[in-house]
Amino acid sequence: MSNGRAVNGFLLDITGVLYNSIYKSDGVAIAKSAEAVDFLYKHSNVKFLSNAKGNSNRNVARRLQRLGINIREEDVITPAPVVAQYCRENKLRPHLFVREDVLQYFDGIDTSSPNCVVMGEVEEGFSFERINRAFRVLIDMPKPLLITMGNGKFFQRVDGPCIDVGAFAAALKFSTNCEVLNIGKPSRFYFEQGINALGMKPEEIVMVGDDLMSDVGGAQACGMRGIQVRTGKWRPDFEKLPVTPDLTADCLYDAVKLIADNGFRL
Amino acid sequence: MSNGRAVNGFLLDITGVLYNSIYKSDGVAIAKSAEAVDFLYKHSNVKFLSNAKGNSNRNVARRLQRLGINIREEDVITPAPVVAQYCRENKLRPHLFVREDVLQYFDGIDTSSPNCVVMGEVEEGFSFERINRAFRVLIDMPKPLLITMGNGKFFQRVDGPCIDVGAFAAALKFSTNCEVLNIGKPSRFYFEQGINALGMKPEEIVMVGDDLMSDVGGAQACGMRGIQVRTGKWRPDFEKLPVTPDLTADCLYDAVKLIADNGFRL
């Protein structure tokens, strides 16, 4: 690894890489992630590509700042504003099954007589009646379309793993035979948001994440290098899965330090 | 049809055939279903094979009786007691994601350190936290097993279609890769409960239901004849689906009258 290829930019996952999530609290910073972020702002280029669907970019950044991790709101990429832009460009009228804090991104978008469902709700706002309303919108469409903010199997909270929005997309697909469009990792369209924000070629970028299939595999499929950290939702049995990271490190800080010590090559 | 084969027994679906469901109420009887049931008790043999998962057989029968439909508790077959018996016979220790009213069937079954999940909950008792508890039980098993009480895409309430337990089975399968065992229509094991209760050969029996795939197709796959009624969840586009009923009638009463007028042959 003494040579390797140049690393000019970093895309970082947020949850499970910078901090761990605790239900109805800010969560806890992962050791030395604050230092890693400061270092990257100073010595490289960094953007944050998250599938977080419950909060606005402003509130995602503020939460991290409260944990002592100084990320800037304008460097945060989350699915909701990307989905809203996609709706605008494609003249979609979404039924919104999303958190209150991200509704602001859909201001000005016509939501009457919906021709798709946008889903990004789990945990406290999730209820039978809400998924049933989404189901009823889809079952009445000739060609039902579900846009999901991420398609994960589970997310990790400090108290344990939690079933994620991908499962409820599978539920709605089972009952309505809808098309499912994921705007979130690992979709290429979503990774391109991060690549474009860094303004460089995919091969110059490393993506650091805790989800082997979605973060690491998804980044590699887009021509980036994928780094697995052993934090967040990482599990030892990831080794059995059919994706091989370009690097596996105990935490973000270790990954950053290793690459920096190698002259920003990997 | 002036000849046809003998019909010696009737298996009737309940919801959508005898009555229509209304959220948090007894629902409403379907016209002349009470007369049809009285007639069958007098002139033929009849059992009721339902995927209803929220109430005990006693409360299912009482609800129908309050609507003026005189079905007997001992003739009602629902999944919960069948699942409980299956757990006993197979030494399963279920995590119970079911309605309170059916917990009684699981009395005496060890539910500590569960080795399967039993799911039959939708509507008011469904919550993110409850499906998440089921998810956590499954994700921790080496060979996760989910037993679902029915596997329907949706059920019909008077206010509209509602996403059903089959969707949430698909959700849990997506996130845990669990095996899904349906104990409910259209599983052969479950239809056999009805066949055995009537104590006759499948070819002597007709199943009357509102769900083309589950009731009609499932019965036919077991050697019974399947009758579609145009009540409950019936939709005109059922005609595009790959199951052809042995008879389609506007309602249960019409089906029963037609068969009786033909000398109990179809």
Side-chain angles (χ1 to χ4, degrees):
Chain A
M1 214 192 67
S2 59
N3 284 307
R5 284 183 289 136
V7 175
N8 295 326
F10 289 76
L11 279 180
L12 307 186
D13 186 20
I14 294 178
T15 311
V17 172
L18 301 183
Y19 85 112
N20 284 321
S21 174
I22 296 180
Y23 190 45
K24 294 189 176 178
S25 107
D26 277 344
V28 290
I30 291 175
K32 294 198 185 174
S33 67
E35 289 90 325
V37 167
D38 287 344
F39 182 86
L40 289 177
Y41 267 124
K42 196 164 173 188
H43 297 288
S44 182
N45 299 287
V46 61
K47 302 285 176 184
F48 303 89
L49 189 69
S50 169
N51 276 6
K53 47 205 173 288
N55 292 108
S56 65
N57 291 353
R58 164 162 298 188
N59 283 329
V60 167
R62 285 185 176 169
R63 171 200 297 248
L64 275 286
Q65 289 158 8
R66 286 194 296 271
L67 296 176
I69 302 165
N70 293 308
I71 77 177
R72 298 174 193 147
E73 178 189 341
E74 63 268 28
D75 297 323
V76 173
I77 303 163
T78 62
V82 181
V83 170
Q85 185 58 23
Y86 185 87
C87 288
R88 282 189 187 90
E89 288 172 3
N90 292 277
K91 306 259 187 294
L92 293 173
R93 301 181 303 276
H95 168 86
L96 296 171
F97 180 16
V98 300
R99 288 273 177 89
E100 203 173 347
D101 195 28
V102 304
L103 279 175
Q104 58 191 285
Y105 295 115
F106 296 88
D107 274 356
I109 294 179
D110 181 8
T111 56
S112 63
S113 53
N115 57 9
C116 71
V117 166
V118 168
M119 178 166 67
E121 179 64 271
V122 288
E123 295 178 290
E124 74 254 58
F126 189 94
S127 67
F128 181 80
E129 285 305 313
R130 286 193 78 194
I131 192 171
N132 200 41
R133 280 202 289 277
F135 160 76
R136 287 183 178 183
V137 169
L138 291 170
I139 198 77
D140 274 344
M141 285 179 196
K143 293 184 73 175
L145 171 64
L146 173 65
I147 300 177
T148 176
M149 298 185 191
N151 200 27
K153 294 183 176 186
F154 69 92
F155 61 96
Q156 192 70 27
R157 288 194 319 218
V158 167
D159 61 312
C162 295
I163 191 165
D164 203 358
V165 69
F168 300 113
L172 287 166
K173 185 177 177 62
F174 175 86
S175 287
T176 69
N177 201 27
C178 58
E179 179 191 346
V180 178
L181 173 63
N182 172 29
I183 295 188
K185 295 171 286 184
S187 87
R188 170 179 287 270
F189 175 76
Y190 191 64
F191 274 116
E192 283 169 356
Q193 311 296 317
I195 295 166
N196 294 341
L198 281 169
M200 50 186 73
K201 292 177 188 162
E203 53 267 32
E204 302 176 77
I205 302 170
V206 295
M207 168 84 212
V208 184
D210 63 332
D211 187 315
L212 180 70
M213 301 307 289
S214 183
D215 293 325
V216 177
Q220 289 174 336
C222 293
M224 292 182 278
R225 280 160 286 169
I227 297 179
Q228 173 75 50
V229 284
R230 295 193 188 94
T231 53
K233 68 168 72 168
W234 174 81
R235 292 177 165 226
D237 65 4
F238 278 9
E239 286 186 8
K240 298 176 200 156
L241 296 177
V243 164
T244 305
D246 293 279
L247 175 69
T248 301
D250 280 347
C251 65
L252 173 66
Y253 181 86
D254 285 5
V256 167
K257 186 162 190 318
L258 194 144
I259 292 170
D261 287 350
N262 196 41
F264 285 97
R265 302 183 78 81
L266 176 67
Chain B
M1 212 191 66
S2 57
N3 282 306
R5 285 183 290 136
V7 175
N8 294 326
F10 289 76
L11 279 181
L12 307 186
D13 184 21
I14 294 179
T15 311
V17 172
L18 301 183
Y19 85 110
N20 285 320
S21 174
I22 296 178
Y23 190 45
K24 294 188 177 178
S25 107
D26 278 343
V28 289
I30 291 175
K32 293 198 185 175
S33 66
E35 290 91 325
V37 167
D38 288 343
F39 182 85
L40 289 177
Y41 266 124
K42 196 165 174 189
H43 298 289
S44 184
N45 300 286
V46 62
K47 301 284 178 187
F48 304 89
L49 188 70
S50 170
N51 275 7
K53 48 205 170 292
N55 293 107
S56 66
N57 291 352
R58 165 164 296 189
N59 282 330
V60 168
R62 283 184 176 168
R63 172 201 297 249
L64 275 286
Q65 289 157 8
R66 284 195 296 272
L67 298 176
I69 302 166
N70 293 307
I71 76 177
R72 297 172 195 151
E73 179 189 343
E74 63 269 27
D75 297 324
V76 172
I77 303 162
T78 61
V82 180
V83 170
Q85 185 57 23
Y86 185 88
C87 288
R88 283 190 186 90
E89 288 174 2
N90 292 278
K91 306 260 186 290
L92 293 174
R93 299 181 305 275
H95 168 85
L96 296 170
F97 180 16
V98 301
R99 287 274 177 89
E100 203 172 347
D101 195 27
V102 305
L103 279 175
Q104 57 189 288
Y105 295 114
F106 296 89
D107 274 355
I109 294 179
D110 182 7
T111 56
S112 63
S113 55
N115 57 8
C116 72
V117 165
V118 169
M119 178 167 67
E121 180 64 272
V122 288
E123 294 178 290
E124 74 255 59
F126 189 95
S127 67
F128 181 79
E129 285 305 315
R130 286 194 77 194
I131 192 170
N132 199 41
R133 279 201 291 276
F135 160 76
R136 287 183 177 183
V137 169
L138 291 169
I139 199 77
D140 275 344
M141 286 181 197
K143 293 183 72 175
L145 170 65
L146 172 66
I147 300 178
T148 174
M149 297 186 191
N151 200 26
K153 294 183 177 187
F154 69 92
F155 61 96
Q156 191 70 27
R157 288 194 318 218
V158 168
D159 62 310
C162 295
I163 191 166
D164 204 358
V165 69
F168 300 113
L172 288 167
K173 185 176 176 62
F174 175 86
S175 287
T176 69
N177 202 27
C178 58
E179 178 191 347
V180 178
L181 172 64
N182 172 30
I183 295 189
K185 295 171 286 183
S187 88
R188 170 180 286 270
F189 175 76
Y190 191 66
F191 274 116
E192 283 169 356
Q193 311 296 316
I195 294 166
N196 294 341
L198 281 169
M200 50 186 74
K201 293 177 187 159
E203 53 266 35
E204 302 176 77
I205 302 169
V206 294
M207 169 83 212
V208 184
D210 64 331
D211 188 315
L212 181 69
M213 301 308 288
S214 182
D215 293 324
V216 176
Q220 289 174 336
C222 293
M224 293 183 276
R225 281 160 285 171
I227 298 180
Q228 172 75 50
V229 284
R230 295 192 188 93
T231 53
K233 70 168 70 167
W234 175 80
R235 292 177 162 225
D237 64 6
F238 278 9
E239 286 185 10
K240 296 176 201 155
L241 297 177
V243 165
T244 305
D246 293 278
L247 176 69
T248 301
D250 280 348
C251 64
L252 172 66
Y253 181 86
D254 284 4
V256 168
K257 186 161 190 317
L258 193 145
I259 292 170
D261 287 350
N262 196 41
F264 285 97
R265 302 185 78 82
L266 175 66

mmCIF file of all heavy atoms in Angstrom, chain B residues 210-238:
data_model
loop_
_atom_site.group_PDB
_atom_site.id
_atom_site.type_symbol
_atom_site.label_atom_id
_atom_site.label_comp_id
_atom_site.label_asym_id
_atom_site.label_seq_id
_atom_site.Cartn_x
_atom_site.Cartn_y
_atom_site.Cartn_z
ATOM 1 N N ASP B 210 -64.184 -14.387 -0.948
ATOM 2 C CA ASP B 210 -64.109 -13.143 -1.718
ATOM 3 C C ASP B 210 -62.711 -12.899 -2.273
ATOM 4 O O ASP B 210 -62.518 -11.971 -3.060
ATOM 5 C CB ASP B 210 -64.561 -11.940 -0.873
ATOM 6 C CG ASP B 210 -63.667 -11.669 0.331
ATOM 7 O OD1 ASP B 210 -63.059 -12.639 0.851
ATOM 8 O OD2 ASP B 210 -63.574 -10.508 0.761
ATOM 9 N N ASP B 211 -61.733 -13.724 -1.862
ATOM 10 C CA ASP B 211 -60.349 -13.535 -2.313
ATOM 11 C C ASP B 211 -60.031 -14.588 -3.366
ATOM 12 O O ASP B 211 -59.920 -15.780 -3.064
ATOM 13 C CB ASP B 211 -59.410 -13.663 -1.110
ATOM 14 C CG ASP B 211 -57.973 -13.287 -1.471
ATOM 15 O OD1 ASP B 211 -57.483 -13.729 -2.534
ATOM 16 O OD2 ASP B 211 -57.342 -12.551 -0.695
ATOM 17 N N LEU B 212 -59.888 -14.141 -4.599
ATOM 18 C CA LEU B 212 -59.734 -15.086 -5.706
ATOM 19 C C LEU B 212 -58.510 -15.978 -5.530
ATOM 20 O O LEU B 212 -58.580 -17.204 -5.657
ATOM 21 C CB LEU B 212 -59.626 -14.325 -7.034
ATOM 22 C CG LEU B 212 -59.476 -15.222 -8.272
ATOM 23 C CD1 LEU B 212 -60.744 -15.997 -8.552
ATOM 24 C CD2 LEU B 212 -59.081 -14.394 -9.491
ATOM 25 N N MET B 213 -57.373 -15.385 -5.238
ATOM 26 C CA MET B 213 -56.155 -16.184 -5.177
ATOM 27 C C MET B 213 -56.142 -17.071 -3.929
ATOM 28 O O MET B 213 -55.830 -18.262 -3.998
ATOM 29 C CB MET B 213 -54.922 -15.278 -5.172
ATOM 30 C CG MET B 213 -54.791 -14.378 -6.390
ATOM 31 S SD MET B 213 -54.903 -15.239 -7.963
ATOM 32 C CE MET B 213 -53.328 -16.103 -7.987
ATOM 33 N N SER B 214 -56.474 -16.489 -2.791
ATOM 34 C CA SER B 214 -56.304 -17.199 -1.525
ATOM 35 C C SER B 214 -57.447 -18.188 -1.283
ATOM 36 O O SER B 214 -57.211 -19.365 -0.994
ATOM 37 C CB SER B 214 -56.223 -16.173 -0.397
ATOM 38 O OG SER B 214 -56.016 -16.799 0.838
ATOM 39 N N ASP B 215 -58.688 -17.746 -1.422
ATOM 40 C CA ASP B 215 -59.833 -18.617 -1.141
ATOM 41 C C ASP B 215 -60.087 -19.582 -2.299
ATOM 42 O O ASP B 215 -60.159 -20.793 -2.113
ATOM 43 C CB ASP B 215 -61.109 -17.784 -0.925
ATOM 44 C CG ASP B 215 -61.056 -16.927 0.329
ATOM 45 O OD1 ASP B 215 -60.485 -17.383 1.336
ATOM 46 O OD2 ASP B 215 -61.602 -15.805 0.299
ATOM 47 N N VAL B 216 -60.267 -19.030 -3.480
ATOM 48 C CA VAL B 216 -60.707 -19.833 -4.625
ATOM 49 C C VAL B 216 -59.542 -20.666 -5.160
ATOM 50 O O VAL B 216 -59.635 -21.898 -5.265
ATOM 51 C CB VAL B 216 -61.296 -18.915 -5.727
ATOM 52 C CG1 VAL B 216 -61.661 -19.738 -6.959
ATOM 53 C CG2 VAL B 216 -62.501 -18.158 -5.189
ATOM 54 N N GLY B 217 -58.437 -20.006 -5.457
ATOM 55 C CA GLY B 217 -57.286 -20.724 -5.979
ATOM 56 C C GLY B 217 -56.726 -21.708 -4.960
ATOM 57 O O GLY B 217 -56.364 -22.841 -5.302
ATOM 58 N N GLY B 218 -56.672 -21.287 -3.696
ATOM 59 C CA GLY B 218 -56.160 -22.174 -2.653
ATOM 60 C C GLY B 218 -57.011 -23.417 -2.488
ATOM 61 O O GLY B 218 -56.487 -24.533 -2.338
ATOM 62 N N ALA B 219 -58.333 -23.257 -2.518
ATOM 63 C CA ALA B 219 -59.241 -24.400 -2.381
ATOM 64 C C ALA B 219 -59.079 -25.348 -3.563
ATOM 65 O O ALA B 219 -59.027 -26.575 -3.401
ATOM 66 C CB ALA B 219 -60.684 -23.904 -2.274
ATOM 67 N N GLN B 220 -59.010 -24.780 -4.750
ATOM 68 C CA GLN B 220 -58.858 -25.619 -5.945
ATOM 69 C C GLN B 220 -57.560 -26.415 -5.894
ATOM 70 O O GLN B 220 -57.524 -27.589 -6.286
ATOM 71 C CB GLN B 220 -58.912 -24.740 -7.200
ATOM 72 C CG GLN B 220 -60.312 -24.179 -7.475
ATOM 73 C CD GLN B 220 -60.343 -23.195 -8.641
ATOM 74 O OE1 GLN B 220 -59.325 -22.591 -8.979
ATOM 75 N NE2 GLN B 220 -61.522 -23.016 -9.234
ATOM 76 N N ALA B 221 -56.503 -25.793 -5.381
ATOM 77 C CA ALA B 221 -55.218 -26.495 -5.299
ATOM 78 C C ALA B 221 -55.289 -27.684 -4.345
ATOM 79 O O ALA B 221 -54.473 -28.601 -4.431
ATOM 80 C CB ALA B 221 -54.121 -25.521 -4.851
ATOM 81 N N CYS B 222 -56.286 -27.656 -3.444
ATOM 82 C CA CYS B 222 -56.461 -28.769 -2.494
ATOM 83 C C CYS B 222 -57.518 -29.763 -2.973
ATOM 84 O O CYS B 222 -57.904 -30.670 -2.229
ATOM 85 C CB CYS B 222 -56.872 -28.228 -1.129
ATOM 86 S SG CYS B 222 -55.601 -27.261 -0.325
ATOM 87 N N GLY B 223 -58.027 -29.590 -4.184
ATOM 88 C CA GLY B 223 -58.991 -30.552 -4.726
ATOM 89 C C GLY B 223 -60.443 -30.187 -4.471
ATOM 90 O O GLY B 223 -61.356 -30.942 -4.833
ATOM 91 N N MET B 224 -60.673 -29.044 -3.836
ATOM 92 C CA MET B 224 -62.050 -28.561 -3.650
ATOM 93 C C MET B 224 -62.451 -27.706 -4.840
ATOM 94 O O MET B 224 -61.627 -27.348 -5.678
ATOM 95 C CB MET B 224 -62.142 -27.728 -2.370
ATOM 96 C CG MET B 224 -61.916 -28.541 -1.109
ATOM 97 S SD MET B 224 -62.103 -27.563 0.403
ATOM 98 C CE MET B 224 -60.474 -26.836 0.518
ATOM 99 N N ARG B 225 -63.720 -27.379 -4.874
ATOM 100 C CA ARG B 225 -64.138 -26.396 -5.862
ATOM 101 C C ARG B 225 -64.178 -25.017 -5.194
ATOM 102 O O ARG B 225 -64.472 -24.922 -3.996
ATOM 103 C CB ARG B 225 -65.498 -26.783 -6.453
ATOM 104 C CG ARG B 225 -65.310 -27.881 -7.506
ATOM 105 C CD ARG B 225 -66.564 -28.636 -7.781
ATOM 106 N NE ARG B 225 -66.855 -29.567 -6.693
ATOM 107 C CZ ARG B 225 -68.002 -30.233 -6.588
ATOM 108 N NH1 ARG B 225 -68.957 -30.054 -7.476
ATOM 109 N NH2 ARG B 225 -68.189 -31.071 -5.582
ATOM 110 N N GLY B 226 -63.886 -24.009 -5.956
ATOM 111 C CA GLY B 226 -63.784 -22.665 -5.408
ATOM 112 C C GLY B 226 -64.827 -21.741 -6.012
ATOM 113 O O GLY B 226 -64.954 -21.662 -7.235
ATOM 114 N N ILE B 227 -65.561 -21.064 -5.144
ATOM 115 C CA ILE B 227 -66.613 -20.154 -5.591
ATOM 116 C C ILE B 227 -66.240 -18.729 -5.209
ATOM 117 O O ILE B 227 -65.936 -18.439 -4.049
ATOM 118 C CB ILE B 227 -67.968 -20.529 -4.951
ATOM 119 C CG1 ILE B 227 -68.361 -21.945 -5.404
ATOM 120 C CG2 ILE B 227 -69.039 -19.507 -5.305
ATOM 121 C CD1 ILE B 227 -69.669 -22.420 -4.832
ATOM 122 N N GLN B 228 -66.278 -17.855 -6.199
ATOM 123 C CA GLN B 228 -65.987 -16.439 -5.970
ATOM 124 C C GLN B 228 -67.298 -15.690 -5.783
ATOM 125 O O GLN B 228 -68.210 -15.827 -6.596
ATOM 126 C CB GLN B 228 -65.246 -15.871 -7.179
ATOM 127 C CG GLN B 228 -65.047 -14.363 -7.168
ATOM 128 C CD GLN B 228 -63.958 -13.932 -6.196
ATOM 129 O OE1 GLN B 228 -62.860 -14.470 -6.208
ATOM 130 N NE2 GLN B 228 -64.262 -12.952 -5.352
ATOM 131 N N VAL B 229 -67.379 -14.898 -4.704
ATOM 132 C CA VAL B 229 -68.525 -13.998 -4.556
ATOM 133 C C VAL B 229 -68.096 -12.572 -4.858
ATOM 134 O O VAL B 229 -66.942 -12.192 -4.599
ATOM 135 C CB VAL B 229 -69.149 -14.083 -3.141
ATOM 136 C CG1 VAL B 229 -69.987 -15.355 -2.999
ATOM 137 C CG2 VAL B 229 -68.079 -14.000 -2.060
ATOM 138 N N ARG B 230 -69.025 -11.793 -5.377
ATOM 139 C CA ARG B 230 -68.722 -10.402 -5.728
ATOM 140 C C ARG B 230 -69.045 -9.486 -4.545
ATOM 141 O O ARG B 230 -69.777 -8.493 -4.679
ATOM 142 C CB ARG B 230 -69.514 -9.980 -6.969
ATOM 143 C CG ARG B 230 -69.139 -10.717 -8.246
ATOM 144 C CD ARG B 230 -69.750 -10.041 -9.477
ATOM 145 N NE ARG B 230 -69.557 -10.847 -10.681
ATOM 146 C CZ ARG B 230 -70.430 -11.735 -11.145
ATOM 147 N NH1 ARG B 230 -71.572 -11.945 -10.514
ATOM 148 N NH2 ARG B 230 -70.161 -12.424 -12.240
ATOM 149 N N THR B 231 -68.537 -9.858 -3.385
ATOM 150 C CA THR B 231 -68.689 -9.027 -2.183
ATOM 151 C C THR B 231 -67.294 -8.898 -1.563
ATOM 152 O O THR B 231 -66.321 -9.459 -2.064
ATOM 153 C CB THR B 231 -69.665 -9.671 -1.175
ATOM 154 O OG1 THR B 231 -69.245 -11.020 -0.908
ATOM 155 C CG2 THR B 231 -71.094 -9.682 -1.725
ATOM 156 N N GLY B 232 -67.225 -8.147 -0.460
ATOM 157 C CA GLY B 232 -65.956 -8.009 0.251
ATOM 158 C C GLY B 232 -64.892 -7.382 -0.608
ATOM 159 O O GLY B 232 -65.083 -6.317 -1.186
ATOM 160 N N LYS B 233 -63.753 -8.064 -0.721
ATOM 161 C CA LYS B 233 -62.616 -7.485 -1.428
ATOM 162 C C LYS B 233 -62.647 -7.764 -2.926
ATOM 163 O O LYS B 233 -61.701 -7.382 -3.639
ATOM 164 C CB LYS B 233 -61.298 -7.979 -0.821
ATOM 165 C CG LYS B 233 -60.981 -9.423 -1.076
ATOM 166 C CD LYS B 233 -59.545 -9.756 -0.690
ATOM 167 C CE LYS B 233 -59.328 -9.738 0.804
ATOM 168 N NZ LYS B 233 -58.019 -10.358 1.174
ATOM 169 N N TRP B 234 -63.714 -8.405 -3.394
ATOM 170 C CA TRP B 234 -63.812 -8.658 -4.842
ATOM 171 C C TRP B 234 -63.645 -7.361 -5.631
ATOM 172 O O TRP B 234 -64.147 -6.306 -5.235
ATOM 173 C CB TRP B 234 -65.170 -9.280 -5.183
ATOM 174 C CG TRP B 234 -65.349 -9.432 -6.668
ATOM 175 C CD1 TRP B 234 -64.855 -10.409 -7.470
ATOM 176 C CD2 TRP B 234 -66.065 -8.529 -7.533
ATOM 177 N NE1 TRP B 234 -65.217 -10.184 -8.779
ATOM 178 C CE2 TRP B 234 -65.954 -9.032 -8.845
ATOM 179 C CE3 TRP B 234 -66.769 -7.340 -7.332
ATOM 180 C CZ2 TRP B 234 -66.535 -8.399 -9.948
ATOM 181 C CZ3 TRP B 234 -67.347 -6.710 -8.423
ATOM 182 C CH2 TRP B 234 -67.225 -7.235 -9.718
ATOM 183 N N ARG B 235 -62.906 -7.463 -6.734
ATOM 184 C CA ARG B 235 -62.734 -6.330 -7.644
ATOM 185 C C ARG B 235 -62.910 -6.832 -9.067
ATOM 186 O O ARG B 235 -62.519 -7.960 -9.377
ATOM 187 C CB ARG B 235 -61.322 -5.737 -7.522
ATOM 188 C CG ARG B 235 -61.074 -5.060 -6.199
ATOM 189 C CD ARG B 235 -59.645 -4.547 -6.097
ATOM 190 N NE ARG B 235 -59.598 -3.566 -5.017
ATOM 191 C CZ ARG B 235 -58.994 -2.389 -5.080
ATOM 192 N NH1 ARG B 235 -58.329 -2.031 -6.159
ATOM 193 N NH2 ARG B 235 -59.025 -1.545 -4.066
ATOM 194 N N PRO B 236 -63.458 -5.990 -9.946
ATOM 195 C CA PRO B 236 -63.668 -6.437 -11.334
ATOM 196 C C PRO B 236 -62.383 -6.964 -11.984
ATOM 197 O O PRO B 236 -62.433 -7.898 -12.778
ATOM 198 C CB PRO B 236 -64.163 -5.167 -12.038
ATOM 199 C CG PRO B 236 -64.764 -4.344 -10.952
ATOM 200 C CD PRO B 236 -63.962 -4.625 -9.722
ATOM 201 N N ASP B 237 -61.228 -6.395 -11.614
ATOM 202 C CA ASP B 237 -60.000 -6.830 -12.293
ATOM 203 C C ASP B 237 -59.510 -8.194 -11.818
ATOM 204 O O ASP B 237 -58.474 -8.680 -12.293
ATOM 205 C CB ASP B 237 -58.899 -5.765 -12.213
ATOM 206 C CG ASP B 237 -58.437 -5.496 -10.790
ATOM 207 O OD1 ASP B 237 -58.885 -6.212 -9.871
ATOM 208 O OD2 ASP B 237 -57.627 -4.573 -10.604
ATOM 209 N N PHE B 238 -60.243 -8.851 -10.927
ATOM 210 C CA PHE B 238 -59.919 -10.243 -10.594
ATOM 211 C C PHE B 238 -59.958 -11.110 -11.859
ATOM 212 O O PHE B 238 -59.305 -12.149 -11.920
ATOM 213 C CB PHE B 238 -60.918 -10.808 -9.578
ATOM 214 C CG PHE B 238 -60.621 -10.447 -8.134
ATOM 215 C CD1 PHE B 238 -59.640 -9.525 -7.805
ATOM 216 C CD2 PHE B 238 -61.332 -11.049 -7.098
ATOM 217 C CE1 PHE B 238 -59.379 -9.201 -6.475
ATOM 218 C CE2 PHE B 238 -61.068 -10.738 -5.770
ATOM 219 C CZ PHE B 238 -60.101 -9.813 -5.455
#
